[in-house]
């Protein structure tokens, strides 16, 4: 079993490297246009104001997680030193899409978030206080991939040479590849004619590609495993999704009695740093020859998953000085 996994990985990677698999335009991100915190040095009893401007510079819509009083962005405000003043918090966006938790941004849309931080410390020690304000920005996306394969009754049947492989754009993309069959091709398979069932092996690679510029260097992808779904149209039979059962992820099979997909298990879940990827593998039973309604049929295998793209917008240091005795 381990040997089969290794062979699948090597073949899959070789197909990707050879350029035989194509994906859509994968650009898409949230860009922090500005981040201002003033003043950065205060005396006890004074307040601090922060403002961030964000733009969706990608080519797909996404949701910026903001949370009540902006707590999903300003997550490191040193709560023992500062409290967020609700009356001084505000959100404005191009389409006025903030609903109290997130704001949906179409390509080109901008967002402005403002905070007021009131000092909580009743007395500042003579050596002062130090606080690093952290601003991680989380953008929620969905990504889909599609790969067409053809199933023929026998090798002599003439099939199609124009089969599609697609991936929707975004910071993360999906690349789908299948192992070569007895035809020697990765997209054409012969229907099962033996007593022993045969499978079509597919690898779904989720990739957080390396950035083309330094500006995107810190983007991290958190894959929502619970949202992963893979489907196939007839004559293939596959309709599976993931769900959480206690602390374990399990497959929910619909019309497929023996789930054959494998998701890698890691300590921190499917969290992908820049340039990293993870591969989900599935085995799909090939139909029997007598089940085909025509000499050749095209099936579409599709995969879908939701994820969060988190970008570190930066850290701003605040020093609180004592007024002395």
């Amino acid at each position: 079993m381990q040997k089969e996994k290794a062979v699948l990985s090597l073949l899959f990677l070789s197909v990707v490297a050879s350029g035989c698999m194509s994906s859509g335009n994968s650009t898409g991100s949230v860009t922090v246009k500005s981040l201002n915190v003033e003043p950065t040095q205060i005396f006890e009893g004074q307040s601090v104001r922060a403002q961030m401007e964000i733009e969706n510079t990608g080519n797909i819509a996404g949701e910026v997680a903001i949370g009540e009083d902006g707590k999903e962005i300003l997550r490191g405000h040193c709560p023992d030193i500062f409290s967020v003043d609700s009356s001084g918090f505000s959100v404005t966006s191009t389409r006025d899409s903030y609903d109290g938790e997130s704001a949906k941004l179409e390509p080109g849309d901008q967002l402005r978030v403002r905070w007021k931080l009131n000092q909580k410390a009743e007395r500042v020690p003579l050596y002062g206080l130090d606080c690093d304000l952290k601003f991680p920005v989380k953008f929620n996306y969905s990504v889909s991939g599609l790969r067409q394969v053809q199933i023929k009754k026998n090798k002599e049947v003439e099939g199609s040479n124009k089969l599609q492989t697609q991936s929707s754009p975004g910071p993360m993309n999906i690349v789908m590849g299948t192992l070569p069959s007895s035809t020697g091709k990765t997209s054409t398979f012969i229907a099962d004619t033996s007593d022993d069932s045969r499978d079509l092996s597919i690898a779904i690679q989720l990739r957080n590609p390396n950035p083309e510029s330094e500006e995107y260097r810190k983007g991290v992808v958190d894959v929502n495993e619970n949202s992963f779904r893979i489907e196939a149209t007839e004559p293939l039979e596959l309709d599976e999704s993931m769900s959480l059962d206690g602390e374990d992820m399990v497959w929910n099979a619909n019309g497929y009695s023996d789930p054959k997909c494998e998701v890698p298990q890691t300590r921190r879940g499917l969290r992908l740093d820049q340039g990293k990827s993870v591969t989900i593998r599935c085995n799909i039973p090939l139909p029997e020859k007598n089940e085909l309604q025509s000499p050749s049929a095209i099936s579409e295998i599709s995969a879908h998953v939701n994820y969060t793209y988190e970008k570190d917008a930066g850290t701003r240091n605040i020093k609180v000085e004592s007024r002395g005795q």
Side-chain angles (χ1 to χ4, degrees), residues 180-197:
S181 67
S182 58
T183 64
K185 298 181 179 179
T186 59
S187 57
T188 302
F189 299 83
I190 305 302
D192 193 357
T193 58
S194 64
D195 293 333
D196 297 326
S197 62

Side-chain angles (χ1 to χ4, degrees), residues 28-132:
S29 182
V30 54
T31 296
V32 178
K33 307 294 287 187
S34 65
L35 173 61
N36 296 313
V37 176
E38 295 181 347
T40 56
Q41 186 171 5
I42 63 174
F43 287 104
E44 55 185 292
Q46 294 182 322
S47 300
V48 173
R49 293 185 180 273
Q51 175 177 295
M52 174 185 287
E53 292 187 2
I54 301 168
E55 181 179 354
N56 182 359
T57 53
N59 51 17
I60 60 174
E63 285 188 345
V64 177
I66 300 173
E68 183 182 1
D69 292 339
K71 63 182 180 182
E72 291 296 330
I73 296 179
L74 179 56
R75 285 187 287 164
H77 67 273
C78 304
D80 56 330
I81 302 176
F82 294 106
S83 63
V84 178
D85 187 341
S86 297
S87 64
F89 172 75
S90 65
V91 177
T92 55
S93 62
T94 302
R95 302 172 191 273
D96 193 25
S97 59
Y98 178 57
D99 61 6
E101 289 296 330
S102 63
K104 184 175 181 179
L105 299 185
E106 298 290 340
D109 283 359
Q110 297 186 3
L111 177 76
R112 180 178 295 164
V113 187
R114 297 183 179 90
W115 296 267
K116 180 183 178 184
L117 303 178
N118 294 329
Q119 193 184 143
K120 290 174 60 177
E122 295 181 0
R123 182 177 178 83
V124 177
L126 292 176
Y127 54 81
L129 296 171
D130 210 286
C131 176
D132 286 331

Side-chain angles (χ1 to χ4, degrees), residues 304-319:
H304 319 271
V305 71
N306 300 331
Y307 65 97
T308 298
Y309 178 77
E310 182 173 316
K311 185 173 182 180
D312 185 355
T315 301
R316 298 292 186 270
N317 180 262
I318 305 295
K319 294 187 182 298

